[in-house]
Amino acid sequence: MTQENNKSKDYAKYFDFSTAKVIKQEEGKTTYRINGREISINSAPNHTEEKRRGKEDIQVHYDAGIPDELKEIGKDKHYIIYTFGCQMNEHDTETMKGMLEEMGYQSTEDRKLADIILLNTCAIRENAEDKVFGELGHLKHLKTEKPGLILGVCGCMSQEESVVHRIMAKHGFVDMIFGTHNIHRLPYLIQDALFSKEMVVEVWSKEGDIIENLPKKREGMRAWVNIMYGCDKFCTYCIVPFTRGKERSRRPEDVIAEVRDLARQGFKEITLLGQNVNAYGKDFTDIEYTFAHLMDDMHKIDIPRVRFMTSHPRDFDDQLIDVLAKRGNLVEHIHLPVQSGSTQMLKIMSRKYTREQYLELVRKIKKVIPDVVLTTDIIVGFPGETDEQFEDTLSLVKEVGYDSAYTFIYSPRVGTPAASMEDNVPMDVKKERLQRLNDSIKQSSRQIHDNMVGQVVEVLVEGESKNNANMLSGRTRTNKLIHFEGSKDLIETFVHVKVTDSFTWFMKGELVTEQVPM
Ligand code: SAH
Ligand code: SF4
Ligand code: F3S
């Protein structure tokens, strides 16, 4: 569904710390003058450190919060957060909104009104980074007009050395850079930025702790719930293990308490979040408790729909399949990124499964959940990918019959092993492969939707349809978008809809019954 236009761009180091002028040195921070801007570095990103996976225990902190003296700092002030990237970032934004609001800040959509603007960034592909640098260009003008505005860059790009160096050297109007492990430090960083007038840089490269009890500003009736953080898989193309730290699971009692609370608040759907949710619990040393156990516990909670993102084929065990087969609130949709249909490519990508193992897993899942909806992620044009290997991806896509897929042209990421592999696939070939792949997925999605005409599906009504205010839109259990006519009173309830028309990425239908008791 997505397209990439990427060229390999290695941001050279923009300056050398050893030659930058040190103007102050205090315990825990050094202040430099770079291009006339004072930059106070509490800690800078470090690629070598981010690669480390030590044996230290993960610390769970229950005492993070907003200190009383900072609860008034945002009184009569406004904030905006622009979020790029995945659900993990969306959810981090909810946490930052929660913290800002506890500090007295109010949300706004008007840039001119904002006193603080944060860019929560994504580093997964080059075009994600280009968007952020583009946005920074626009914000520079705003900052010139309103010097008191605090501009912050956070998220995955902040964990990259080359990005932080580039911002320090070329975008001196930025006030704060903080990393994915430093989100809970936001109140203190704002205080520093406000009172010191220096650019504040705080990016920990630690493997990561778990911070509980931070406030969260959730909207709507669907909620994200982190169950684990980080990634230890180190697929050769991927930056995430460097930006998010080591795989670490939240304690089951904390996850369960949060979901119970969301159920009490009336949320209709939760999505359990992690880079590899099915690696959940592997880091526990004191208890035997896996993702299958967690899903079984979710099954007992009175919340109508439970989803999860993302599962890794390698850790998808039989126990989990058996639990998912219980259905109830566990919906029959699995996002199962395959990346490639060629065993050889999978090996070079370091995915740690073969084409056959993936297909066998799909067979097992379909045997127990025959109406399961499978979606996936695929990369084309990985270094060295031959026509034949690409054909293997096409044939796998046909064999599995995905309902939809996120497809990407490979984008080299500085510091990952694949970035130094020889890439002999020309860009026009990559683009053509992406096109053929997308055509094939479109066909399969349309076919599946055609076959659904006449079926009655359970729909959680989200709101008015975006393109037609007379229609309502909602999602099926399998996360398919469906539009139908109905009263606005049905918004945020469950209804039954009969599918009447099919399209490539959505369906239309007619309301069958009024409210379904859930
Ligand atoms: N943890 C998830 C994926 C997170 S990233 C998993 O392992 O499935 C989301 C998707 O971005 C990946 O599945 C992959 O298809 C794509 N991706 C990651 N790095 C990429 C890169 N360097 N170039 C192109 N696509 C990439
Ligand atoms: Fe990246 Fe692989 Fe980890 Fe997914 S499993 S986040 S693709 S390294
Ligand atoms: Fe992007 Fe970071 Fe998510 S790199 S995809 S925001 S984990």
Side-chain angles (χ1 to χ4, degrees):
M1 280 184 263
T2 342
Q3 281 219 37
E4 295 288 319
N5 170 24
N6 48 14
K7 46 213 173 304
S8 171
K9 197 199 287 172
D10 184 350
Y11 301 131
K13 286 200 172 171
Y14 280 79
F15 70 90
D16 182 356
F17 274 113
S18 58
T19 55
K21 187 171 169 18
V22 176
I23 54 172
K24 214 170 20 179
Q25 211 149 17
E26 292 164 60
E27 201 185 336
K29 82 173 179 189
T30 309
T31 306
Y32 296 87
R33 181 168 290 120
I34 296 161
N35 294 344
R37 173 74 157 125
E38 288 184 14
I39 303 184
S40 164
I41 300 188
N42 300 348
S43 59
N46 179 321
H47 188 75
T48 317
E49 283 283 303
E50 277 164 357
K51 230 182 327 194
R52 267 191 61 221
R53 288 294 184 270
K55 292 265 176 276
E56 300 133 55
D57 281 345
I58 294 298
Q59 305 277 323
V60 187
H61 302 270
Y62 290 94
D63 52 357
I66 319 293
D68 285 342
E69 68 273 19
L70 298 183
K71 283 196 171 151
E72 294 278 300
I73 215 171
K75 197 162 174 277
D76 302 325
K77 291 184 179 170
H78 293 85
Y79 74 88
I80 303 183
I81 307 182
Y82 295 112
T83 313
F84 304 79
C86 65
Q87 290 83 357
M88 204 69 72
N89 257 16
E90 296 279 354
H91 191 39
D92 285 348
T93 290
E94 292 180 338
T95 306
M96 292 192 284
K97 285 183 173 180
M99 284 192 280
L100 288 168
E101 296 200 1
E102 281 204 6
M103 295 167 75
Y105 285 97
Q106 296 162 49
S107 162
T108 178
E109 284 176 15
D110 179 359
R111 286 181 169 210
K112 294 219 161 70
L113 202 62
D115 300 281
I116 176 161
I117 298 183
L118 301 179
L119 301 185
N120 192 6
T121 64
C122 170
I124 199 80
R125 284 169 292 274
E126 188 178 314
N127 71 347
E129 297 200 348
D130 289 345
K131 274 190 216 152
V132 170
F133 280 112
E135 195 60 54
L136 273 180
H138 300 144
L139 291 173
K140 183 176 183 177
H141 301 291
L142 205 61
K143 177 82 184 175
T144 319
E145 283 165 27
K146 189 174 178 180
L149 170 69
I150 298 281
L151 269 185
V153 177
C154 56
C156 288
M157 278 170 72
S158 305
Q159 294 290 144
E160 292 183 283
E161 259 177 275
S162 59
V163 169
V164 171
H165 289 180
R166 178 172 166 181
I167 295 175
M168 289 195 291
K170 301 258 173 178
H171 304 274
F173 55 93
V174 168
D175 300 284
M176 297 189 296
I177 305 176
F178 59 99
T180 58
H181 303 296
N182 305 71
I183 286 175
H184 62 291
R185 298 259 312 137
L186 180 61
Y188 304 94
L189 298 173
I190 292 178
Q191 186 186 32
D192 279 3
L194 276 175
F195 298 114
S196 74
K197 307 282 180 217
E198 294 158 359
M199 183 197 292
V200 184
V201 179
E202 187 176 289
V203 182
W204 292 341
S205 298
K206 58 194 292 176
E207 297 168 53
D209 285 343
I210 292 179
I211 316 288
E212 291 290 344
N213 297 336
L214 288 174
K216 292 183 178 67
K217 188 189 182 199
R218 290 181 164 110
E219 277 155 22
M221 56 189 164
R222 298 185 298 172
W224 285 303
V225 177
N226 278 123
I227 62 165
M228 59 185 303
Y229 302 93
C231 180
D232 287 347
K233 294 286 186 288
F234 288 99
C235 302
T236 52
Y237 49 82
C238 187
I239 194 81
V240 173
F242 303 95
T243 63
R244 291 278 170 175
K246 133 170 159 178
E247 253 171 34
R248 51 205 193 278
S249 309
R250 286 179 70 198
R251 301 296 300 182
E253 57 275 20
D254 293 334
V255 176
I256 292 168
E258 182 171 352
V259 175
R260 284 215 177 106
D261 187 46
L262 291 168
R264 266 193 298 274
Q265 289 178 46
F267 280 88
K268 301 285 194 302
E269 177 179 307
I270 55 151
T271 304
L272 304 178
L273 284 185
Q275 290 302 341
N276 301 289
V277 284
N278 43 353
Y280 178 81
K282 294 198 165 177
D283 52 324
F284 293 147
T285 47
D286 57 335
I287 48 169
E288 183 76 24
Y289 189 92
T290 64
F291 185 56
H293 291 122
L294 183 68
M295 287 305 272
D296 210 15
D297 278 334
M298 293 296 120
H299 185 247
K300 295 172 197 147
I301 298 179
D302 190 16
I303 194 142
R305 286 181 180 178
V306 179
R307 305 185 183 284
F308 56 88
M309 278 286 257
T310 299
S311 49
H312 193 293
R314 184 183 161 199
D315 294 321
F316 217 107
D317 54 27
D318 294 351
Q319 215 187 346
L320 175 59
I321 300 175
D322 289 344
V323 173
L324 294 180
K326 293 186 181 180
R327 296 176 188 251
N329 60 359
L330 310 182
V331 299
E332 36 294 327
H333 169 214
I334 303 173
H335 186 65
L336 198 62
V338 66
Q339 313 301 356
S340 166
S342 149
T343 294
Q344 234 172 342
M345 272 292 111
L346 290 168
K347 187 153 194 232
I348 306 172
M349 290 174 165
S350 195
R351 289 290 290 181
K352 312 234 167 49
Y353 52 84
T354 62
R355 172 193 175 94
E356 289 68 34
Q357 284 167 333
Y358 184 92
L359 287 172
E360 178 54 26
L361 173 61
V362 168
R363 266 190 292 276
K364 270 198 221 162
I365 295 173
K366 285 188 173 173
K367 193 166 166 224
V368 187
I369 313 169
D371 53 343
V372 70
V373 161
L374 293 173
T375 54
T376 199
D377 294 349
I378 297 170
I379 297 177
V380 299
F382 192 78
E385 185 189 59
T386 63
D387 282 339
E388 214 182 357
Q389 287 165 336
F390 172 66
E391 293 297 332
D392 285 345
T393 298
L394 279 183
S395 72
L396 179 133
V397 163
K398 287 212 177 74
E399 190 167 339
V400 175
Y402 294 109
D403 286 63
S404 69
Y406 292 99
T407 56
F408 311 101
I409 288 178
Y410 164 70
S411 173
R413 306 285 64 217
V414 177
T416 60
S420 45
M421 292 179 191
E422 195 199 344
D423 188 356
N424 56 0
V425 190
M427 187 46 88
D428 53 344
V429 173
K430 296 185 192 228
K431 284 186 179 163
E432 195 200 309
R433 287 182 189 166
L434 183 71
Q435 191 60 50
R436 284 183 63 202
L437 177 62
N438 285 346
D439 288 346
S440 165
I441 290 159
K442 266 189 204 162
Q443 252 179 25
S444 121
S445 176
R446 180 62 196 263
Q447 183 69 53
I448 291 168
H449 290 173
D450 285 351
N451 292 342
M452 289 182 71
V453 172
Q455 280 182 26
V456 173
V457 287
E458 179 204 275
V459 175
L460 174 54
V461 189
E462 287 178 358
E464 285 173 15
S465 172
K466 279 207 183 96
N467 300 322
N468 181 351
N470 296 322
M471 302 279 275
L472 296 175
S473 294
R475 298 264 170 188
T476 65
R477 278 172 65 88
T478 54
N479 216 23
K480 288 179 184 293
L481 185 61
I482 186 157
H483 306 288
F484 58 97
E485 268 180 47
S487 144
K488 309 250 178 302
D489 299 342
L490 296 174
I491 293 172
E492 301 209 352
T493 69
F494 287 90
V495 295
H496 281 141
V497 176
K498 183 171 185 178
V499 181
T500 53
D501 294 289
S502 73
F503 300 84
T504 306
W505 303 125
F506 64 94
M507 296 177 291
K508 282 189 180 165
E510 283 166 4
L511 199 61
V512 186
T513 51
E514 289 306 319
Q515 221 161 313
V516 177
M518 292 292 302

